[in-house]
Amino acid sequence: EIDEAAFIILAALHLPHDELEPWLDARLTMAERKLLGDLIEKRIVSRKPAPYLVNTAWIGPYQFYVDERVIVPRSFLGELLVEGLDGIVDPEQPIERVLDLCTGSGCLAIIAAHQYAGAHVDGADLMEGALEVARRNVREHGLGDRVTLHQGDLFGAVGDARYDLIVCNPPYVTSDAVAAFPPEYQAEPVEAHDGGKDGMMLVRRVLEEARDHLTPQGVLVMEIGMGRAVVERDYPDLDLLWLDTAESEGEVFAVTAKALGAVKAKQGKPKPKKAR
């Protein structure tokens, strides 16, 4: 694919990743030719994703280090964050604390820190290897004083902390689909993809627990892939705002603390006794 070949060339030569044309007439040194030849051969033979070969991935204007300990960043949620979550987060409501749940490489936590300059951001992940990558990215973005990383199982990593904004890109692929992955996806950590039988195992846990970690005006924004029908079936009373991006339709939703609380309160009401 031309775009991928261009990405490998530009990343390996440390050139702007979105400007190929100015370099088309450039002459390469023998060392550069060998470097690119080796990378392209590795891509063909190993079938590893190109970002692993050059240890680089981008979301919008933000560059991140990646390797096989994390999935390649390609989040629709990242696109929405870069755009400022317009129409989702109330501009009159200050964002002081943000949580990136299932942070992986830390990319969403870092974007959130750039977008909300006054906020402190927590990133949480179960996998220590992923957090090692995230720490490197936080350091390289100069955000060590504003982004804190925690290891643990979902909200168990952050105790009873509450947030104005929670973003989450959890594993949401069905186990059967993961088992049938092409080699490129097989190179990525399986635990970062596998969401159980219907893909929504962790999504349900986040929805059940998020209300207890949001401020009264807080919002949860979560990416769930193709799981919309399952979520709407399982939570028919939950007021979800489905969000579209340039490359997706209905794969990300936003839900307020108030909406989550209303469903929780309804579930907690005792069922009326049947008359004898």
Side-chain angles (χ1 to χ4, degrees), residues 35-273:
L35 170 65
L36 294 178
D38 289 346
L39 284 172
I40 291 169
E41 183 178 7
K42 283 182 182 178
R43 175 68 182 93
I44 295 168
V45 173
S46 73
R47 298 284 298 274
K48 286 185 179 181
Y52 287 162
L53 301 179
V54 294
N55 297 121
T56 298
W58 292 80
I59 295 181
Y62 301 111
Q63 182 178 9
F64 303 99
Y65 171 89
V66 294
D67 61 30
E68 286 88 343
R69 291 171 290 179
V70 296
I71 63 172
V72 176
R74 47 180 174 269
S75 174
F76 300 131
L77 214 170
E79 177 186 334
L80 292 167
L81 266 177
V82 169
E83 294 173 356
L85 295 177
D86 289 340
I88 303 163
V89 173
D90 184 353
E92 301 299 320
Q93 185 70 28
I95 301 295
E96 298 179 350
R97 293 201 70 182
V98 180
L99 171 63
D100 174 19
L101 205 56
C102 307
T103 194
S105 62
C107 56
L108 297 183
I110 289 165
I111 294 172
H114 284 301
Q115 293 297 115
Y116 302 105
H120 184 86
V121 182
D122 287 336
D125 203 284
L126 182 61
M127 307 307 296
E128 174 58 27
L131 289 171
E132 290 173 358
V133 174
R135 291 185 193 107
R136 174 171 179 164
N137 281 319
V138 169
R139 184 170 62 250
E140 290 183 354
H141 280 259
L143 292 168
D145 59 335
R146 293 183 47 228
V147 177
T148 304
L149 299 172
H150 308 264
Q151 184 175 16
D153 184 17
L154 295 182
F155 291 107
V158 296
D160 58 359
R162 288 184 179 265
Y163 301 90
D164 303 304
L165 173 64
I166 298 174
V167 296
C168 182
N169 184 12
Y172 55 66
V173 182
T174 67
S175 296
D176 286 346
V178 170
F181 269 171
E184 283 80 1
Y185 287 163
Q186 289 179 10
E188 298 182 311
V190 65
E191 62 273 5
H193 283 293
D194 194 343
K197 185 175 182 180
D198 64 2
M200 297 294 104
M201 178 177 63
L202 290 179
V203 171
R204 291 188 186 91
R205 286 185 56 196
V206 173
L207 282 172
E208 296 294 335
E209 300 172 21
R211 178 63 188 87
D212 295 331
H213 294 277
L214 286 166
T215 57
Q217 304 302 317
V219 179
L220 164 68
V221 186
M222 184 154 54
E223 181 173 330
I224 64 164
M226 306 305 292
R228 177 172 179 170
V230 176
V231 169
E232 290 184 326
R233 179 200 68 199
D234 289 355
Y235 300 90
D237 299 323
L238 188 56
D239 186 12
L240 301 172
L241 173 63
W242 293 97
L243 309 170
D244 296 338
T245 71
E247 302 292 335
S248 73
E249 184 175 335
E251 297 191 35
V252 181
F253 66 75
V255 60
T256 64
K258 183 177 179 180
L260 288 166
V263 169
K264 202 164 189 177
K266 184 175 181 180
Q267 291 174 340
K269 289 181 180 179
K271 296 180 180 179
K273 295 181 180 179

